[in-house]
Amino acid sequence: MKLKNIISLFLVGLVLLTGCAEKPEVTVSTYFDELKTSISPDLKTIAIEKYFDQSLEFDNSNRDLSMDSFKSTEMSNRYLELFRGFEYKIIDSTVKGDSAIVNVEITTYPVGDLLSNYMIQLFSKVFEWAFSGISEEEVTEKSISLFLDLANDTEKTYIKTVPVYMVKKEGKWLISGDITNYEMMDALTGGVLEFAKKLEESTNQSNG
């Protein structure tokens, strides 16, 4: 085979390989699909390392987003069901060199609003329960029931389109870590990050 033909075949193969290279949308879809089964109540498993270019930070604060305060396994399980119930749709993507933006529509439960509503109702009812003379165990049971009732009434009404910022490293598309994709993370959790942020701001204001 002549050298000219060999070079031509090489160039054709190179073009084919480039055209078949994994697109940034594939990384996003694969990450979201795996997240559905791996996300935990403390949100730590939301950062599946192999899909990010660096460690993930929710924001610049030191807020603890764990749900260790949940008083029953039933509460934790229901909380997980809400998180894992998210759906997504890739809208479009834009690639510029080694950077890309994938726009994704996320539909899930408004967990942030649920937690806010739960706290408001719990604070008001705790005083009522305390003055009624019931035991601490009964207060715990009532607080669990309150959360479960609110959670069971929660519908999948949180819909938001967010940009997913990505970078290509060593030929592989990765989601940008640190706080770059805060908006995506907040949407995946149904607004929990924004709820926690506002709660912290309110607490700081109250403490002067």
Side-chain angles (χ1 to χ4, degrees):
M1 184 180 290
K2 295 181 179 180
L3 180 59
K4 184 178 180 181
N5 291 335
I6 294 175
I7 293 175
S8 296
L9 287 173
F10 173 76
L11 291 175
V12 169
L14 185 62
V15 170
L16 290 174
L17 286 173
T18 303
C20 295
E22 187 174 283
K23 297 181 179 180
E25 300 96 308
V26 175
T27 299
V28 174
S29 295
T30 307
Y31 166 61
F32 281 5
D33 290 341
E34 185 171 338
L35 189 61
K36 284 176 174 286
T37 59
S38 65
I39 194 169
S40 59
D42 59 12
L43 302 188
K44 291 179 180 178
T45 54
I46 200 171
I48 304 176
E49 185 177 339
K50 61 185 177 182
Y51 297 110
F52 291 85
D53 70 326
Q54 59 179 306
S55 298
L56 182 67
E57 297 291 339
F58 292 125
D59 54 32
N60 291 321
S61 75
N62 293 316
R63 283 198 308 274
D64 180 8
L65 296 174
S66 69
M67 296 301 159
D68 292 336
S69 59
F70 276 6
K71 302 179 184 299
S72 74
T73 301
E74 193 174 4
M75 287 178 72
S76 296
N77 288 342
R78 182 62 182 130
Y79 190 71
L80 276 178
E81 288 174 2
L82 296 176
F83 270 147
R84 292 174 176 172
F86 74 86
E87 300 172 11
Y88 70 91
K89 180 171 65 176
I90 303 293
I91 304 299
D92 56 36
S93 65
T94 302
V95 177
K96 291 184 179 180
D98 289 339
S99 298
I101 299 176
V102 179
N103 291 306
V104 185
E105 181 184 87
I106 295 173
T107 302
T108 190
Y109 297 94
V111 185
D113 289 344
L114 165 64
L115 294 178
S116 177
N117 191 20
Y118 173 62
M119 287 187 61
I120 292 171
Q121 292 199 36
L122 183 62
F123 285 147
S124 65
K125 290 182 179 294
V126 161
F127 291 103
E128 176 187 328
W129 296 335
F131 285 112
S132 68
I134 63 177
S135 66
E136 184 176 339
E137 289 75 15
E138 289 175 305
V139 170
T140 299
E141 290 177 4
K142 286 182 175 293
S143 66
I144 293 172
S145 295
L146 173 62
F147 175 83
L148 294 176
D149 288 343
L150 292 173
N152 290 334
D153 289 339
T154 300
E155 298 181 352
K156 198 178 291 187
T157 57
Y158 185 103
I159 303 174
K160 191 171 184 180
T161 298
V162 298
V164 180
Y165 298 97
M166 308 188 68
V167 295
K168 182 186 282 187
K169 288 193 172 182
E170 299 180 355
K172 183 177 181 180
W173 285 107
L174 299 172
I175 300 170
S176 298
D178 199 39
I179 62 172
T180 304
N181 279 297
Y182 173 89
E183 191 175 0
M184 177 193 74
M185 292 302 171
D186 184 54
L188 284 171
T189 62
V192 168
L193 301 189
E194 276 300 295
F195 159 74
K197 182 178 180 179
K198 291 176 181 178
L199 179 62
E200 182 183 52
E201 291 172 350
S202 177
T203 302
N204 291 338
Q205 289 176 359
S206 299
N207 293 336

